[in-house]
């Protein structure tokens, strides 16, 4: 059984570089079958989808082969595993092992071969045969075969948080995910909060690691296409609400699939089963009927309207 790594759980709020790289991996890969990301489980990040599993360390520094193979010391003076040994100790030789860094030292650039594309990154660096031979001298023998699937990724994420956010918003927009009306920033903010919450959970057994998972359903609910948002906005714009209320409804819309998935499903079923006079009602009347039927003290009206508009935009008559 792999040892569970809770290192950084208390301080994860400071790991902006790690969060940004996790979000970039998610944006690039969330449509792959059975895609999942585990946070602070066997490694900093564990990525899996059908036929693939990767154990990833994230380091906000320049690194060389000598720094990733160097053993450390605990507060008690005991020797601790190197970055590389810790990374290779998770999973099996069939899995991918990867360290994300800000750069590789110039003296070691010739010890790597560029591979394009990688499975989850646009490009990665693989060790030359000679570099592998040199590193094997410093690794426990049971990890020798794991080195065959080891890679370095030089992150495109800027170390400054504000620049990282701009980069991620730009990438979201590039692949057709709506970022208008601060939606891109809100998506990143919400994911960052979820990452914090998942990272703070401590587990002792690998069977419990599903608590720390971000799955495809979550990412799909957050990463809405421009067409989907456009359809929602088209209905909202046609409704006789003032600009303040419309702004609140748009803000609530971000959290519909994330926090109100079950309620949305019930409202959608209600709209298809109970509303029979579609041709005689305008959008406002249909939405009022749904909101009235599902009104509750714990959910504000703007959120209910956002859910109703979402349902209306998805109904196939």
């Amino acid at each position: 059984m792999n040892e569970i790594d809770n290192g950084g759980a208390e301080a994860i709020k400071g790991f902006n570089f790690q969060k940004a790289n996790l979000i970039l991996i998610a944006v690039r890969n969330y449509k792959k079958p059975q895609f999942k990301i585990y946070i602070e489980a066997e490694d900093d990040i564990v990525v899996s989808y059908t036929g693939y599993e990767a154990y990833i360390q994230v380091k906000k520094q320049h690194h060389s082969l000598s720094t990733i193979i160097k053993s450390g010391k605990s507060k008690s003076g005991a020797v601790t595993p190197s970055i590389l040994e810790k990374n290779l100790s998770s999973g099996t030789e069939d899995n991918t092992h990867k360290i994300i860094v800000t750069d590789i030292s110039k003296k070691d650039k010739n010890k790597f071969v560029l591979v394009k594309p990688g499975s989850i990154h646009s490009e990665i660096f693989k060790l030359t045969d000679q570099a592998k031979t040199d590193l094997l001298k410093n690794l426990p023998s049971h990890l020798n075969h794991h080195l065959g699937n080891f890679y370095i990724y030089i992150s495109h994420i800027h170390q400054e948080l504000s620049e990282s956010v701009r980069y991620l918003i730009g990438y979201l927009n590039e692949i057709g995910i709506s970022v208008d009306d601060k939606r891109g920033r809100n998506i990143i903010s919400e994911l960052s909060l979820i990452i914090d919450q998942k990272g703070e959970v401590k587990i002792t057994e690998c069977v419990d690691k599903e608590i720390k998972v971000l799955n495809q359903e979550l990412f799909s609910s957050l990463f809405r296409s421009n067409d989907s948002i456009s359809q929602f906005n088209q209905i909202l714009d046609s409704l006789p609400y003032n600009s303040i209320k419309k702004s609140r409804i748009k803000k609530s819309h971000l959290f519909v699939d994330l926090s109100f998935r079950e309620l949305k499903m019930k409202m959608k079923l209600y709209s298809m089963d109970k509303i029979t006079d579609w041709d005689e009602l305008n959008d406002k009347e249909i939405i009022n009927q749904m909101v009235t039927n599902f009104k509750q003290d714990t959910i504000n009206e703007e959120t209910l309207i956002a859910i109703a508009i979402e349902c209306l935009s998805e109904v196939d008559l």
Side-chain angles (χ1 to χ4, degrees):
M1 180 184 294
N2 293 323
E3 183 180 352
I4 296 299
D5 173 25
N6 286 296
E10 290 82 6
I12 195 170
K13 289 188 170 90
F15 291 173
N16 292 323
F17 183 73
Q18 178 172 318
K19 287 189 226 177
N21 276 282
L22 186 154
I23 292 170
L24 182 59
I25 291 172
V27 174
R28 287 182 56 87
N29 299 281
Y30 76 99
K31 291 184 178 180
K32 290 178 178 175
Q34 302 299 312
F35 180 78
K36 295 179 181 179
I37 294 181
Y38 297 90
I39 302 164
E40 300 285 356
E42 297 98 331
D43 220 325
D44 289 344
I45 301 171
V46 180
V47 177
S48 73
Y49 57 85
T50 303
Y52 179 87
E53 188 162 277
Y55 295 85
I56 303 171
Q57 287 265 316
V58 185
K59 300 298 174 186
K60 188 182 174 182
Q61 297 99 14
H62 286 52
H63 271 284
S64 64
L65 294 185
S66 61
T67 60
I68 67 170
I69 203 64
K70 183 179 179 181
S71 299
K73 279 191 177 181
S74 65
K75 291 180 180 179
S76 64
V79 176
T80 57
S82 67
I83 294 170
L84 181 61
E85 182 179 342
K86 186 177 180 183
N87 180 239
L88 297 181
S89 295
S90 299
T92 71
E93 63 183 85
D94 296 322
N95 300 139
T96 295
H97 297 84
K98 186 180 295 186
I99 299 174
I100 295 176
V101 298
T102 59
D103 205 354
I104 303 169
S105 67
K106 290 182 179 179
K107 67 182 179 65
D108 282 344
K109 289 274 175 88
N110 64 346
K111 297 177 182 178
F112 290 91
V113 177
L114 180 64
V115 178
K116 296 177 74 171
S119 296
I120 59 173
H121 287 112
S122 57
E123 60 182 32
I124 49 179
F125 290 88
K126 187 172 186 175
L127 292 165
T128 63
D129 290 340
Q130 184 58 53
K132 286 181 191 175
T133 300
D134 294 340
L135 287 179
L136 287 174
K137 300 171 186 175
N138 297 285
L139 283 174
S141 59
H142 69 280
L143 296 178
N144 288 357
H145 294 298
H146 290 212
L147 199 58
N149 280 327
F150 171 73
Y151 303 90
I152 290 277
Y153 170 64
I154 299 176
S155 178
H156 296 165
I157 293 291
H158 199 280
Q159 296 181 54
E160 293 296 326
L161 178 60
S162 59
E163 292 299 324
S164 298
V165 170
R166 289 191 190 96
Y167 179 85
L168 290 169
I169 289 174
Y171 194 87
L172 286 167
N173 183 61
E174 186 180 320
I175 63 173
I177 295 172
S178 176
V179 297
D180 294 337
D181 298 318
K182 296 185 178 180
R183 185 176 179 85
R185 186 172 292 274
N186 287 339
I187 289 171
I188 294 167
S189 176
E190 184 65 18
L191 266 177
S192 182
L193 176 61
I194 295 169
I195 292 167
D196 285 345
Q197 293 170 342
K198 297 284 186 179
E200 287 166 359
V201 175
K202 291 193 174 185
I203 57 177
T204 56
E205 299 288 340
C206 282
V207 293
D208 298 327
K209 79 174 189 178
E210 294 301 318
I211 299 170
K212 294 169 112 23
V213 73
L214 302 179
N215 59 27
Q216 190 174 45
E217 186 178 13
L218 169 69
F219 294 125
S220 295
S221 68
L222 283 174
F223 302 154
R224 307 298 297 275
S225 70
N226 285 313
D227 289 342
S228 172
I229 301 301
S230 177
Q231 195 168 8
F232 177 94
N233 288 338
Q234 186 176 349
I235 294 173
L236 178 59
D237 289 342
S238 71
L239 299 173
Y241 302 127
N242 64 37
S243 58
I244 295 174
K245 187 158 188 168
K246 286 184 178 181
S247 178
R248 289 173 179 165
I249 293 168
K250 281 187 178 182
K251 188 174 181 180
S252 297
H253 183 218
L254 174 63
F255 307 103
V256 168
D257 279 315
L258 184 63
S259 302
F260 301 99
R261 193 177 294 117
E262 185 176 347
L263 178 58
K264 176 188 167 182
M265 182 60 66
K266 290 179 180 178
M267 195 179 287
K268 192 171 182 179
L269 289 172
Y270 170 84
S271 68
M272 292 187 291
D273 294 340
K274 303 297 183 182
I275 301 177
T276 56
D277 48 350
W278 289 93
D279 293 337
E280 300 172 14
L281 300 174
N282 60 38
D283 288 349
K284 179 69 161 53
E285 290 169 331
I286 294 170
I287 289 166
N288 282 346
Q289 191 169 327
M290 287 193 279
V291 168
T292 300
N293 189 73
F294 288 91
K295 189 174 183 179
Q296 46 192 285
D297 294 336
T298 56
I299 304 178
N300 64 46
E301 185 184 34
E302 285 81 7
T303 298
L304 288 172
I305 292 172
I307 298 171
I309 295 174
E310 182 81 2
C311 292
L312 185 58
S313 68
E314 294 178 2
V315 168
D316 185 16
L317 296 176

